[in-house]
Amino acid sequence: MTGSATGDRGGFGTWGRLTPAEQSALRSAGQVKVWRPGQILALQGSPPTSMFVVLQGWVKISATNYRGEDAPLAARGPAEIVGELAPISGLPRSATMSAIDEVRTLVVPREKFLAVLRDRPRIAEEIFRTAAIRLQQSDRLRLEAGGPDFPQRLAAVLLELALQHAVDWTDGQQVDLRFNQGELAGFARVSRSTLIRGLEELRRLGVVRTARQRVTITRPRALRELAAGRPPPPADV
């Protein structure tokens, strides 16, 4: 799995699990919009006027903490529904959503979105299922970020981020994480220099490959073993 477009019927995420009729109902309620890299889809604290279906590209979810620091929370790719809980609750947005690369979304206004949910309650069931899984993954990410051995801790954090990229991700696939070093350091709760040393160790073990604003998990099963505190198997296993 990479950041390339998968089309409107992507195999991952909430959107991909909806039926054609359910997708059509949401399409009829909204309109498609394209966002440039770095453009803000919605700001933390803003009114929940709409929800978004990511049809192409990647969206970063971040929030400002009490110290005024911008903390990354997740990245969502094609076939993910984002910004959907605030319109349901009616509360201001708890995070900022911004385009990592060129992003194409279906934007559904709040009132139309709620009307679709009333008419098609199975959409709400899928949204709440995804929200519950994301909450579990977020809790797990915070737990894994506190381990004593940093390469092991970093491996666990990368695995949890891979699961955030796609609810249906399996450890037999390579996955690209679209984060820069500062954002990854924020997830792992370490300095950037410590993160760089950890990535060097994971590269030496052959379990990740790095590029500008991207970390590719090349051997997911080996990374999982490392995250569990066990030595990774040889590269040909």
Side-chain angles (χ1 to χ4, degrees):
M1 183 184 64
T2 68
S4 60
T6 61
D8 290 8
R9 286 305 308 275
F12 301 98
T14 311
W15 180 252
R17 295 195 302 272
L18 300 183
T19 67
E22 290 165 343
Q23 291 184 353
S24 179
L26 286 171
R27 283 198 199 93
S28 298
Q31 59 182 353
V32 173
K33 182 173 180 178
V34 176
W35 310 81
R36 299 185 304 276
Q39 193 170 4
I40 302 296
L41 284 69
L43 277 171
Q44 180 179 352
S46 64
T49 55
S50 57
M51 56 79 76
F52 307 84
V53 180
V54 183
L55 303 175
Q56 177 179 325
W58 288 86
V59 173
K60 181 176 75 172
I61 314 296
S62 62
T64 302
N65 62 25
Y66 69 93
R67 294 184 299 273
E69 300 166 340
D70 187 52
L73 301 176
R76 308 294 182 204
E80 290 277 13
I81 293 178
V82 297
E84 74 281 16
L85 295 183
I88 292 174
S89 70
L91 298 175
R93 296 198 182 275
S94 60
T96 293
M97 295 176 285
S98 57
I100 294 177
D101 48 13
E102 183 172 278
V103 171
R104 185 166 64 95
T105 66
L106 174 66
V107 184
V108 183
R110 178 175 184 250
E111 293 305 320
K112 291 184 177 181
F113 174 50
L114 295 178
V116 171
L117 294 186
R118 287 191 290 268
D119 290 341
R120 297 181 178 272
R122 204 191 76 84
I123 297 178
E125 292 177 7
E126 288 294 341
I127 286 173
F128 291 138
R129 175 196 173 208
T130 299
I133 293 172
R134 287 174 178 172
L135 180 60
Q136 291 175 344
Q137 291 169 349
S138 178
D139 290 344
R140 184 70 182 177
L141 183 61
R142 285 195 292 270
L143 175 66
E144 297 294 359
D149 181 76
F150 183 62
Q152 177 183 350
R153 192 168 89 209
L154 180 57
V157 167
L158 293 177
L159 284 173
E160 294 302 324
L161 289 174
L163 288 170
Q164 286 191 356
H165 267 56
V167 171
D168 303 303
W169 181 70
T170 65
D171 65 3
Q173 298 169 293
Q174 291 191 11
V175 58
D176 287 343
L177 302 179
R178 298 280 184 115
F179 295 107
N180 61 38
Q181 290 179 350
E183 291 163 344
L184 286 175
F187 281 119
R189 302 180 185 177
V190 296
S191 67
R192 187 173 299 189
S193 61
T194 299
L195 175 82
I196 291 172
R197 289 195 298 271
L199 288 175
E200 287 176 350
E201 176 65 13
L202 297 186
R203 284 197 300 267
R204 185 186 67 79
L205 294 171
V207 295
V208 302
R209 183 174 63 247
T210 59
R212 186 174 181 273
Q213 297 198 6
R214 179 178 302 182
V215 173
T216 300
I217 301 173
T218 55
R219 297 174 58 211
R221 291 186 179 90
L223 191 67
R224 189 179 294 278
E225 290 296 302
L226 186 61
R230 297 185 291 265
D236 58 350
V237 174

